[in-house]
Amino acid sequence: VDGRGFGESTKMADGKNVAPERTDAAVRTMLSDVGAAFDYLRKQKNVDPERVGIVGASYGSSLAIIYAAYRANVKAVALLSPGLNYFGNMQTEPAIKKYADRPLLLVAAADDAESASAVKTLKGDNPKAEDKVYDQNGHGTGLFTAGVGLEDLLENFLIRSLSH
């Protein structure tokens, strides 16, 4: 799911453009969108509603952890290229603390220095948190195109985290 105004979510049903916003109100709206997607997925007949996790990339990683911090039914979270405070209104450190000891995967690339640093900070001393910093390969979903094995890392994390 792309945030409103980002990726492929840049048009409304009537064809008008949706501008990307970074205001507090926009963040609340995007968190509501995350919740709607999460609830929709949990209602699908081929999904065990007790075993659903969230994967977020870039500012979407902030939305993922902030949403999950307040929802005990989110069983695992993977953050690709996380930040500590995207746009100045998406603080992830308090969310990580509230999320507590549920399974967490943090991934970045060293050539994305801000996210690589955020991975180390957010992991802290949490024994349930796993981290991986690739040597290079950019930011966000760009990590998937690098051919470094992120798909396998993510799949294995989700299988381990959601299978019990």
Side-chain angles (χ1 to χ4, degrees), residues 118-139:
V119 162
K120 297 300 181 193
T121 299
L122 295 173
K123 181 177 186 323
D125 60 0
N126 181 346
K128 290 259 187 154
E130 302 174 34
D131 64 320
K132 176 68 177 171
V133 176
Y134 295 104
D135 291 335
Q136 58 186 7
N137 302 315
H139 183 82

Side-chain angles (χ1 to χ4, degrees), residues 2 5 10 25 29 42 44 52 55 66 83 91 99 104 108 133 135:
D2 289 324
T10 58
T29 298
R42 290 183 74 226
Q44 300 312 296
V52 177
V55 178
I66 292 168
Q91 295 183 7
Y99 181 75
L104 177 66
V133 176
D135 291 335

